[in-house]
Amino acid sequence: MTSIIKLHTISGAMDESPPCYILQIDDVRILLDCGWDEKFDPVFIKELKRQVHTLDAVLLSHPDAYHLGALPYLVGKLGLNCPIYATIPVFKMGQMFMYDLYMSHFNMGDFDLFSLDDVDTAFEKITQLKYNQTVSLKGKGYGISITPLNAGHMIGGTIWKIVKVGEEDIVYATDFNHKKERHLSGCELDRLQRPSLLITDAYNAQYQQARRRARDEKLMTNILQTVRNNGNVLIAVDTAGRVLELAHMLDQLWKNKESGLMAYSLALLNNVSYNVIEFAKSQIEWMSDKLTKAFEGARNNPFQFKHIQLCHSLADVYKLPAGPKVVLASTPDLESGFTRDLFVQWASNANNSIILTTRTSPGTLAMELVENCTSGRQIELDIRRRVELEGPELDEYLRTQGEKLNPLIIKPDVEEESSSESEDDIEMSVITGKHDILVRPEGRHHSGFFKSNKRHHVMFPYHEEKVKYDEYGEIINLDDYRIADPSGYDGFPPMEEQNKENVKKEEPGTGADRHTNGAQGDTDVQLLEKPTKLINQRKTIEVNAQIQRIDFEGRSDGESMLKILSQLRPRRVIVIHGTAEGTQVVAKHCEQNVGARVFTPQKGEIIDVTTEIHIYQVRLTEGLVSQLQFQKGKDAEVAWVDGRLGMRLKAIDAPMDVTVEQDAAQHEGKTLTLETLAEDEIPVHNSVLINELKLSDFKQILLRSNINSEFSGGVLWCCNGTLALRRVDAGKVAMEGCLSEEYYKIRELLYEQYAIV
């Protein structure tokens, strides 16, 4: 028996768009990744929106936005509600990626595709796994198990092995890296021998990488020449993936006194840099054996950086010591984030250097610079940034908003509060409402931004207020008793800061930076955000800085990938995520050197990769199901079915809006069904006994029924040698002996071990 297996390529086929696929195993639909590009392509989401409520599970392979960027939108806006599986680092670092992505776009415009609350909600649904941990799906996915294996591209990167019980295995392996790096081990594809179906990419099929030593020397030379020429170096990296390799390498380089780099500043700049490094410190067991042994032996944490300064805003960069700087900043495409801001400031200076570490989507600023890096070239950019309202604009804004914003804004204290005050006084000072009967001490009166028209009592501030109540008594307002928590837990924000009101009015330094203030000991508790505005201007920039691309993307090159495919020898291969030329290179290699059936789907195509042919799915009508007589077998219940193949205009017992894509008949809106036969049409059939009985197990059953038995020459003798049970060909059991009461009793026990249909 073989399952019907199909793959729907929503995105990432015959091009380098983000990977997003639906794997269908019989009726179970599994979403493999849900990446989103830098431009947030709405066409891709439009197709996924039609499928989101049919999904039974989601598997995430890497933590970057290119593999899970659409997850907050799917959960927060489209209502995705099914189990989501990822490794622990993909869960943690993926959250950092999405925080940084949101803040980078929010600081440049009104970003409303998803909010930080959507990010939190999406990641709360993730089931975290470890490598080689096998998990069985539940519900419709019963019988299917998934196992994450090391992919080597990013920390926690996953090759998914999907197995249906008793059938062949499916391997989903994209963006893997077989080479060992400073902080990661290579992938574990060699453990998989001859999988039934391999889903792999052709992203690097025609790409030859430079040797690691030459690549590292190229980067060091660029940095040394630039800083010694009194220039700054901008290295465009991601948020929490490949940046760890570069950060670890550069910190080691700065430690070397002979390099002469200790005199220059080295910084890591993104909205969540502190948390990224803290998470990296706690995930050493997911990294290379070399780092793991060093940590276990000398307890040296490789991410306890001594020379890298963690920055969360451009203001932090400006506070660094004067002189040349090397800044690792996000995002790698230069479309948003701090890399775009620093590019605008540094591109015109010929002494500066801009290093791009990975390929991005066609049409991004980073790709345009790589393809045309002529010195003195002029480009026009839209410069958008968010700034706080000040002066007359702030007054006008507050006047128009009035009391609606009054609960959301607290005017900061002019004078610093005395540190000698007791904790009780601090707690009582933030309690407000009708139950507050304390007179606030002088110098600590919070009047807000608006003048109060209420009459202030001279002495005891008593104001009679009508108490609201219901059948249970007085209605309690929880906000009256809520105490502001001045610090988050483990660098995460207080719960009050995670509400939706605050998300709508973020400012630089108060959004994703809320995850870092507590950890850095910042005592200024900014409970509520100030109003901001967007400034948009078009600026012509003359690119005089040196533009160089140095490959740190951490994927296997084309030659190595083809060798790995030859070793795996899969029976069937689906080639995805690559240019048309690259896809054909991999397909041709698999056909000629591996001997596999190869599929190269187009974007949006549904391909059938079922092993057997002439297999169809049919739906049983209610009348037929009600007539079935199920018999309990070893692990399941079975029944004999007699019916007539029919065809109906819609799926039986299925919602009207469910799209069924089984074969040509169903594309026309018809569904194959199995209809009930009349009683005189039901043919007679011989009884079928279903089970694989072991005589050793049957001996225990006889013993429980007080029947003695023993083995002799592979024959089970019962009743003092008067009855014999022996296995014959085709797994049948033969019973010989004299007819007696014991004979019929043993035969009845024997029949009970089978499901008879």
Side-chain angles (χ1 to χ4, degrees), residues 38 65 97 100-105 108 234-239 269-271 328-341 355-358 360 366:
E38 298 87 346
F97 264 104
D100 191 40
L101 181 72
Y102 173 83
M103 287 306 303
S104 297
H105 284 85
M108 291 181 57
L234 170 62
I235 305 178
V237 292
D238 57 20
T239 303
L269 173 63
N270 64 53
N271 292 294
L328 296 158
S330 64
T331 57
D333 49 49
L334 303 185
E335 287 294 315
S336 62
F338 294 119
T339 49
R340 191 178 181 91
D341 298 334
I355 299 175
L356 306 173
T357 59
T358 185
T360 54

Side-chain angles (χ1 to χ4, degrees), residues 45-76:
I45 285 294
K46 184 179 179 181
E47 175 61 30
L48 193 55
K49 188 174 183 179
R50 296 170 49 201
Q51 312 286 344
V52 69
H53 294 296
T54 68
L55 300 176
D56 300 299
V58 179
L59 305 183
L60 305 176
S61 60
H62 293 87
D64 58 337
Y66 219 61
H67 291 84
L68 55 75
L71 186 64
Y73 184 85
L74 294 180
V75 174

Side-chain angles (χ1 to χ4, degrees), residues 678-698:
E679 289 187 10
D680 56 345
E681 294 180 327
I682 299 176
V684 178
H685 68 275
N686 296 326
S687 297
V688 179
L689 282 70
I690 301 172
N691 193 8
E692 292 184 6
L693 181 66
K694 293 181 180 179
L695 291 181
S696 56
D697 296 337
F698 190 60

Side-chain angles (χ1 to χ4, degrees), residues 39-331:
K39 306 285 187 180
F40 297 101
D41 182 17
V43 177
F44 150 73
I45 285 294
K46 184 179 179 181
E47 175 61 30
L48 193 55
K49 188 174 183 179
R50 296 170 49 201
Q51 312 286 344
V52 69
H53 294 296
T54 68
L55 300 176
D56 300 299
V58 179
L59 305 183
L60 305 176
S61 60
H62 293 87
D64 58 337
Y66 219 61
H67 291 84
L68 55 75
L71 186 64
Y73 184 85
L74 294 180
V75 174
K77 299 296 187 288
L78 301 185
L80 175 67
N81 187 23
C82 67
I84 305 171
Y85 298 93
T87 58
I88 297 171
V90 169
F91 166 78
K92 290 184 176 180
M93 295 308 193
Q95 208 164 7
M96 296 301 103
F97 264 104
M98 299 316 296
Y99 284 152
D100 191 40
L101 181 72
Y102 173 83
M103 287 306 303
S104 297
H105 284 85
F106 179 81
N107 291 335
M108 291 181 57
D110 294 325
F111 186 76
D112 57 358
L113 289 176
F114 57 83
S115 65
L116 293 178
D117 287 325
D118 294 332
V119 175
D120 292 337
T121 303
F123 280 83
E124 284 173 1
K125 292 180 174 293
I126 291 181
T127 301
Q128 302 173 50
L129 306 178
K130 296 180 179 179
Y131 284 149
N132 302 312
Q133 176 184 350
T134 301
V135 173
S136 298
L137 301 185
K138 299 178 181 178
K140 282 176 64 178
Y142 178 78
I144 297 176
S145 62
I146 56 174
T147 306
L149 304 172
N150 183 18
H153 173 50
M154 292 183 182
I155 184 170
T158 306
I159 294 170
W160 287 102
K161 182 180 178 182
I162 306 165
V163 180
K164 186 159 187 180
V165 175
E167 299 192 18
E168 298 154 323
D169 52 343
I170 302 169
V171 176
Y172 173 65
T174 59
D175 294 327
F176 56 84
N177 186 17
H178 70 289
K179 299 177 182 177
K180 289 185 178 180
E181 296 186 291
R182 286 178 173 82
H183 84 295
L184 290 179
S185 300
C187 64
E188 299 179 356
L189 273 174
D190 55 338
R191 294 181 52 190
L192 304 170
Q193 287 301 319
R194 201 155 176 76
S196 170
L197 174 62
L198 174 66
I199 305 172
T200 190
D201 66 332
Y203 190 72
N204 272 357
Q206 296 177 295
Y207 180 65
Q208 290 299 121
Q209 293 174 336
R211 296 181 65 86
R212 172 176 157 178
R213 185 182 184 88
R215 178 199 69 180
D216 294 350
E217 288 178 353
K218 187 178 180 181
L219 176 66
M220 295 177 193
T221 302
N222 187 308
I223 292 175
L224 284 167
Q225 289 178 348
T226 304
V227 295
R228 287 174 179 171
N229 201 25
N230 204 30
N232 297 320
V233 181
L234 170 62
I235 305 178
V237 292
D238 57 20
T239 303
R242 298 301 305 167
V243 65
L244 299 180
E245 176 78 7
L246 271 162
H248 180 256
M249 171 186 166
L250 293 180
D251 192 67
Q252 295 295 321
L253 182 61
W254 251 251
K255 282 182 182 179
N256 186 359
K257 295 181 180 179
E258 296 179 359
S259 66
L261 290 169
M262 296 182 68
Y264 307 107
S265 299
L266 176 63
L268 173 60
L269 173 63
N270 64 53
N271 292 294
V272 289
S273 59
Y274 177 84
N275 295 89
V276 168
I277 301 306
E278 285 300 305
F279 284 145
K281 290 178 186 176
S282 65
Q283 294 171 6
I284 303 300
E285 72 271 20
W286 294 83
M287 300 184 186
S288 65
D289 296 337
K290 183 178 178 181
L291 295 188
T292 304
K293 290 176 181 177
F295 180 72
E296 290 175 350
R299 308 303 289 179
N300 290 329
N301 196 312
F303 290 93
Q304 188 67 47
F305 294 138
K306 296 181 180 179
H307 301 280
I308 295 182
Q309 304 295 321
L310 304 181
C311 302
H312 300 90
S313 65
L314 292 178
D316 293 341
V317 176
Y318 301 148
K319 292 177 184 177
L320 295 175
K325 303 174 181 63
V326 178
V327 180
L328 296 158
S330 64
T331 57

Side-chain angles (χ1 to χ4, degrees), residues 432-436 463-478 480-481:
T432 58
K434 59 180 178 290
H435 300 282
D436 182 9
H463 176 72
E464 185 175 4
E465 186 174 321
K466 187 176 181 181
V467 178
K468 297 179 181 180
Y469 61 92
D470 56 17
E471 58 268 27
Y472 296 104
E474 180 183 353
I475 298 176
I476 300 298
N477 184 5
L478 296 179
D480 295 343
Y481 299 94

